[in-house]
Amino acid sequence: MIVLNLNTFAQPDKAWLRAKERIENMRIGIISTRLNMTTAEAEKFWPIYNEYRRKLDKIHQERIQLIEEGLNNSDSITSLSDNDAEKLMSEILKLNEENAKIQIEYYKKFSRLIGPKRAIDLYLSEIHFKRKLMREMRELKSD
């Protein structure tokens, strides 16, 4: 019975990892198609892009954790005092500023590497990816 229970808990992790891998493959496919990089460009681009994504993902996780802790793991802001709400929002805005600094820093790196037009297309590729992901998620919900 213990083995059965362990398998039950392990399966969602495997499903999550498969879903995460599929999502990342979708992101890579969209970016690769839109940017149409040479092999030499891609070899230089992907390590920088992966570093960029790690930094943005870290800030995103910090923001989520900050909000969850600030709301005491509830979805309600009604229990917050005005002072606590001000502090929470101030911290969220600091993380948003850090996010913007990273985007500016990496836009410059991408622009030098693949040119300004394709650096903008990278930004548009990420928007396209997010829209496609949301569309697929809505389709899954409706099934």
Side-chain angles (χ1 to χ4, degrees):
M1 221 161 136
I2 292 173
V3 172
L4 183 63
N5 284 340
L6 289 175
N7 284 337
T8 303
F9 287 115
Q11 288 176 359
D13 290 334
K14 287 180 184 177
W16 169 248
L17 290 174
R18 281 194 308 271
K20 187 176 178 182
E21 183 178 333
R22 183 172 171 263
I23 290 167
E24 285 308 308
N25 287 338
M26 183 191 314
R27 181 192 314 263
I28 290 167
I30 289 171
I31 291 170
S32 296
T33 300
R34 284 186 64 121
L35 297 185
N36 194 25
M37 293 180 281
T38 66
T39 304
E41 287 173 328
E43 287 175 0
K44 294 176 184 174
F45 171 83
W46 287 109
I48 295 170
Y49 180 80
N50 291 335
E51 180 180 285
Y52 165 73
R53 287 297 329 152
R54 279 191 299 274
K55 288 182 178 184
L56 291 182
D57 289 345
K58 181 177 181 264
I59 288 175
H60 179 71
Q61 290 302 318
E62 288 175 9
R63 190 181 303 117
I64 289 170
Q65 183 178 354
L66 179 67
I67 292 168
E68 287 175 348
E69 289 172 0
L71 297 177
N72 296 319
N73 295 316
S74 75
D75 287 333
S76 175
I77 60 168
T78 57
S79 62
L80 286 178
S81 68
D82 285 346
N83 190 39
D84 288 342
E86 287 284 337
K87 287 179 186 176
L88 178 59
M89 193 63 209
S90 177
E91 292 300 315
I92 291 169
L93 293 173
K94 285 178 188 175
L95 289 173
N96 289 349
E97 286 176 354
E98 183 63 28
N99 192 72
K101 287 177 186 175
I102 290 168
Q103 288 181 325
I104 292 166
E105 172 190 351
Y106 279 85
Y107 167 76
K108 291 175 184 175
K109 290 181 181 186
F110 294 135
S111 185
R112 283 192 300 269
L113 181 65
I114 59 175
K117 289 179 185 177
R118 286 197 291 170
I120 290 172
D121 207 15
L122 170 61
Y123 176 75
L124 297 175
S125 298
E126 291 186 321
I127 292 170
H128 180 74
F129 160 74
K130 290 173 188 174
R131 286 180 180 162
K132 184 175 180 177
L133 182 60
M134 294 303 293
R135 210 173 17 255
E136 288 192 15
M137 289 174 68
R138 277 192 296 266
E139 288 172 7
L140 284 175
K141 275 187 173 181
S142 66
D143 287 346

